[in-house]
Every structure is written in C-alpha cells, then in structure tokens.
Amino acid sequence: MKIYPTFRYQLRDQRTAILIYYAVLLCMILVSCIVMLLIPAEAGGIVTTNGVTAITIFFVFILSLCAFKESFLANLQHGISRRSQFLGHLGAMGVVCAIMAVADEFYLLLLSGFHTVFPNCFGTEESLYELLYSYDGGHPKGPLFSIIFSLFALLAVYSLGYLFAVFMYRLHKTGKIIFWVGTPTLFILISAYLDAHPWIHGKVIIFFLDVLQLCFSRLPQMVLTCTLLTVLFSGIAWLLLRRATIK
C-alpha cells in the first residue's frame, strides 16, 4: 500500500494552481485599491466581491478535470496500484476542499477588514452561504457555517469533475465523438419537446424546484445531499478507474 506517497503527489500536483488562484484574488484587491485611489472621490465607486465561493466552485471543477490523467499515468509507472491511487485521491480531494473553504472565509474576512478601514471604497462582504440563506432568519450565521457549506459544496463539485475526467479517459475516440455530439443534440431535442408541450414543461420545472427545495432549503439537507452526491460520484469513478488502462 502506497497511499501516502500518491496522496502527497496528487496534493503537490494541485498546489501551484491553488496558490495562483488565490494570488489572483489578492491581486484583484490590490488593483481595486489602486483604481479607487486614482478615480475622483465624487465618482462614488465601491468594490464588492460577494459570494466568492461561487468562483471557487467553478475553479475546483476545472481543477478536478485536470487531476486525473497525468497523476494516474505517473503513479502507474511508479508501481502504485489503482486502489492506492484512488484512496490517495480521496485524501487529496478532502484536503484541497477544506483548505479552499477556509481560505475563502479568510479572503472575505480580509475584505471586511478593508471595509472597516475604507468604508467608502469597499462594500460589506457576504459568503455564498449568507447570500443563499439570507432570506430566512432561522439559519445560523457565522464563519463556521459558511466553511461547512463551502466544504461540502466543493467536495460534491470536485468529485463530479473527477468522475467526468475518468469517464472521458475511458472513452475511445468514437465514444467521445458520440458523447460530445449526442449530449447537446439530446438537450436540444428535449428542450424543443418541452417548448412544444407547455403543460409538461411546467410540471418539469415544478418538479425540479421541489427537489431543490427538499435538498438545499436548509444547511443540514444541503450537507446530506452533497455528501450523498460525493459518495455516488466517487463510487462510479472508482468503478471506472479500477479497469482503466494506460493510453
């Protein structure tokens, strides 16, 4: 079992991208400060970046798409089994998502500090958790709950991206063509059918809204839903990975 070496390799492989991501976010603050100093005070400009976790979720999805092939081939060349690789991936995924969930909260606290010092230049900052659940005063507030929300959302998105990467790796050239042509074609056909039958369209929308309400209306439901999605996506990824060959 060589779980720890592959865990370290996969974590190190993503470290640079994560550092660059947060360096870009910090540079955005610096650029904003410079711009606010240069523009006239009467212009009344203000900087705000609410819901930065939404950007982080998109970044994590892209990161997970790039986290499989190179790592998989390099680990096989060093004699690391697929099982050890997958367990190392789960560990790296958990660490990456936890670090980024905490880093997002520190980023928002930093911006809130700028608001305290420069109230006329920087707006008050809210996390994605606060933005989504601000309509209901019954939801608990605080950095801890924002971190929990971000962590489980990132885990679900990361596992989905990793599954997609493994799935695309397993497909042959013909299968990839069928997938990339067939998926949008099927989507267009379904959309056209729903447009032609408004009553079905309405029922489908109501169904999905009810599902979203059931799964994400409160933090405990959101955590449970994201956990189940993470387990599902990771389980399917393992079934695909265990028979993956070198290409």
Side-chain angles (χ1 to χ4, degrees):
M1 298 283 289
K2 299 180 180 179
I3 298 175
Y4 185 64
T6 185
F7 161 75
R8 289 185 57 190
Y9 177 83
Q10 294 182 62
L11 193 59
R12 186 172 61 248
D13 190 46
Q14 302 173 74
R15 179 180 58 191
T16 302
I18 296 172
L19 291 175
I20 292 175
Y21 172 72
Y22 284 106
V24 170
L25 291 182
L26 293 176
C27 287
M28 290 174 60
I29 297 179
L30 179 61
V31 171
S32 299
C33 291
I34 295 174
V35 171
M36 297 305 296
L37 290 174
L38 294 177
I39 63 175
E42 57 271 14
I46 191 168
V47 178
T48 180
T49 55
N50 285 326
V52 68
T53 304
I55 304 174
T56 302
I57 287 174
F58 179 76
F59 171 79
V60 164
F61 182 73
I62 300 300
L63 185 69
S64 64
L65 292 177
C66 306
F68 171 68
K69 184 176 181 180
E70 182 179 346
S71 172
F72 173 69
L73 297 177
N75 280 298
L76 284 184
Q77 290 176 356
H78 287 85
I80 298 178
S81 68
R82 291 164 178 79
R83 182 173 181 270
S84 296
Q85 286 190 52
F86 184 71
L87 293 176
H89 150 71
L90 293 179
M93 176 180 70
V95 171
V96 166
C97 293
I99 290 175
M100 298 193 75
V102 174
D104 279 358
E105 195 60 33
F106 274 109
Y107 177 77
L108 290 174
L109 291 175
L110 176 63
L111 289 175
S112 297
F114 274 95
H115 170 70
T116 302
V117 179
F118 307 104
N120 296 326
C121 297
F122 287 85
T124 56
E125 302 299 326
E126 291 183 310
S127 65
L128 183 61
Y129 167 75
E130 292 171 333
L131 289 175
L132 291 177
Y133 296 107
S134 60
Y135 66 91
D136 188 351
H139 284 87
K141 295 183 179 180
L144 177 61
F145 298 103
S146 295
I147 291 174
I148 293 174
F149 172 87
S150 299
L151 172 62
F152 284 92
L154 293 175
L155 285 172
V157 171
Y158 193 109
S159 58
L160 174 61
Y162 191 82
L163 169 60
F164 188 77
V166 179
F167 175 71
M168 294 307 299
Y169 179 83
R170 287 294 306 273
L171 285 180
H172 296 291
K173 184 176 181 179
T174 303
K176 292 179 181 178
I177 294 174
I178 294 174
F179 177 82
W180 288 113
V181 174
T183 301
T185 301
L186 181 63
F187 178 78
I188 292 172
L189 292 175
I190 293 175
S191 298
Y193 178 81
L194 292 177
D195 288 339
H197 301 79
W199 66 276
I200 297 180
H201 189 206
K203 288 183 177 296
V204 170
I205 291 178
I206 292 174
F207 171 77
F208 280 107
L209 289 176
D210 289 341
V211 171
L212 291 175
Q213 178 70 17
L214 176 64
C215 296
F216 299 100
S217 60
R218 303 189 67 83
L219 183 61
Q221 286 93 320
M222 179 270 175
V223 169
L224 177 60
T225 300
C226 288
T227 301
L228 293 176
L229 290 176
T230 302
V231 172
L232 175 64
F233 296 150
S234 298
I236 298 174
W238 164 242
L239 294 177
L240 294 173
L241 173 61
R242 64 187 298 187
R243 297 187 179 276
T245 58
I246 298 176
K247 293 185 180 180

